[in-house]
Amino acid sequence: MGPRARRGARYWVIETSSYQATDLAWSPVVVAVTSLHPDHLDWHGDVETYYRDKLSACSQPGADLTVANGDSDLLRERAASLGPRVEWIRAGDDPGADWMAPLGLLGAHGRRNALIARACLRALAVPEASDEAALARAAAGFEPLAHRLQVIGEVGGVTFVDDSLSTNVLPTLAALDAFPGRRVALIAGGHDRGIDYAPLATGLAARDCPTLVLAIPDTGPRIQAAIEAAEPAKVDVVACDGLDAAVERGFGWARPDGVVLLSPAAPSFGAFRNYADRGAAFARAMHACQG
């Protein structure tokens, strides 16, 4: 970013990873925490260290307010780690508000994140934050992230969704929740970071509509084992040797009106250069279904 942009900026919005959070010498006045779930355990060492490191951004010198996901039991259990003041935001808050609709975000978590963003703007005394028409105008120019619940096409009535950015259980469960009432073929698996997949199995079992899980390496066997051990064991899971095979199998199962969802709950390391490379491979496999 050039010097002119830096001089002209009134506010900065910075996303900080759990790796970076403990390096902060100070916290912004307003910090947002949209989710908390075990991740990066190969780097942090254990789950409680990960939680402590990630949430340290809320309580460094300068911290005043944390705007937090009120639907997260894990965050509520750790309210004491969220700094001097906490404002809880839930997906069902302000049910009549629709200014976030132009964002085009799928799922309840997308709505909650929009409400969290508005709460941060209000805390910073941005006047437009209380003007729903201004918020809607701003939302209309939003471009969603590629590979984050991105609908990339439809083949034979089957919708293909690239959620390659989902590298742990929580976003994968959120992705599944974005398709209530629809049959979903979920492609899951990738680099093994030691994540516990029992919560994924529990979330899958709670779905009302049929779900087929296509488990791919490296974590595929652990995902399959967690699902098969869950009670009740109501979700079908099939081991696949790679992404192409999973897409082909999922497409056949999802016809005529289901969803093939790539939401791996694991990083892409090893089989792909990065999440974008994995998403591109998914798109190629989708196009192969047209043949």
Side-chain angles (χ1 to χ4, degrees):
M1 186 174 292
R4 179 178 300 177
R6 289 197 294 269
R7 285 198 303 268
R10 293 178 58 203
Y11 304 96
W12 289 81
V13 179
I14 300 172
E15 181 180 11
T16 303
S17 74
S18 58
Y19 307 123
Q20 298 167 318
T22 54
D23 292 334
L24 294 176
W26 53 272
S27 292
V29 173
V30 179
V31 175
V33 183
T34 58
S35 65
L36 188 67
H37 195 273
D39 203 352
H40 306 298
L41 302 187
D42 53 346
W43 193 88
H44 292 277
D46 60 72
V47 66
E48 289 302 326
T49 302
Y50 166 69
Y51 292 154
R52 184 194 66 209
D53 289 348
K54 179 171 181 174
L55 297 180
S56 65
C58 302
S59 55
Q60 303 284 26
D64 177 52
L65 174 68
T66 295
V67 180
N69 174 0
D71 295 313
S72 169
D73 291 338
L74 280 174
L75 276 175
R76 286 192 170 274
E77 290 168 6
R78 289 160 178 79
S81 299
L82 298 182
R85 295 190 298 131
V86 183
E87 180 179 357
W88 298 102
I89 303 293
R90 303 178 68 98
D93 291 350
D94 199 0
D98 62 357
W99 56 264
M100 68 287 290
L103 293 170
L105 299 176
L106 298 174
H109 67 289
R111 187 179 195 279
R112 182 177 57 242
N113 287 345
L115 292 172
I116 287 174
R118 182 181 66 176
C120 291
L121 294 174
R122 285 178 169 175
L124 292 168
V126 175
E128 293 85 356
S130 297
D131 183 341
E132 294 208 356
L135 291 170
R137 287 193 298 272
F142 178 76
E143 294 184 11
L145 283 173
H147 313 294
R148 173 64 79 192
L149 267 182
Q150 180 185 16
V151 177
I152 62 169
E154 184 176 297
V155 180
V158 175
T159 303
F160 285 78
V161 180
D162 175 4
D163 195 38
S164 184
L165 267 170
S166 286
T167 57
N168 64 42
V169 169
L170 192 63
T172 295
L173 290 175
L176 287 164
D177 287 344
F179 301 101
R182 295 193 69 178
R183 299 165 68 247
V184 175
L186 170 68
I187 301 173
H191 175 69
D192 196 341
R193 288 194 297 205
I195 294 170
D196 179 11
Y197 285 110
L200 176 62
T202 300
L204 285 163
R207 290 202 87 228
D208 292 331
C209 289
T211 308
L212 173 67
V213 177
L214 294 316
I216 62 176
D218 294 327
T219 54
R222 288 210 302 115
I223 291 172
Q224 182 170 1
I227 291 170
E228 291 177 344
E231 294 291 341
K234 55 180 280 191
V235 177
D236 293 327
V237 55
V238 176
C240 298
D241 60 7
L243 184 57
D244 289 349
V247 169
E248 182 180 6
R249 182 71 176 262
F251 174 61
W253 179 88
R255 286 189 290 185
D257 56 2
V259 176
V260 176
L261 170 65
L262 172 66
S263 190
S268 57
F269 312 138
F272 302 96
R273 290 193 301 275
N274 51 38
Y275 69 87
D277 185 39
R278 179 166 60 185
F282 178 64
R284 290 194 297 271
M286 177 193 73
H287 291 304
C289 293
Q290 296 174 321

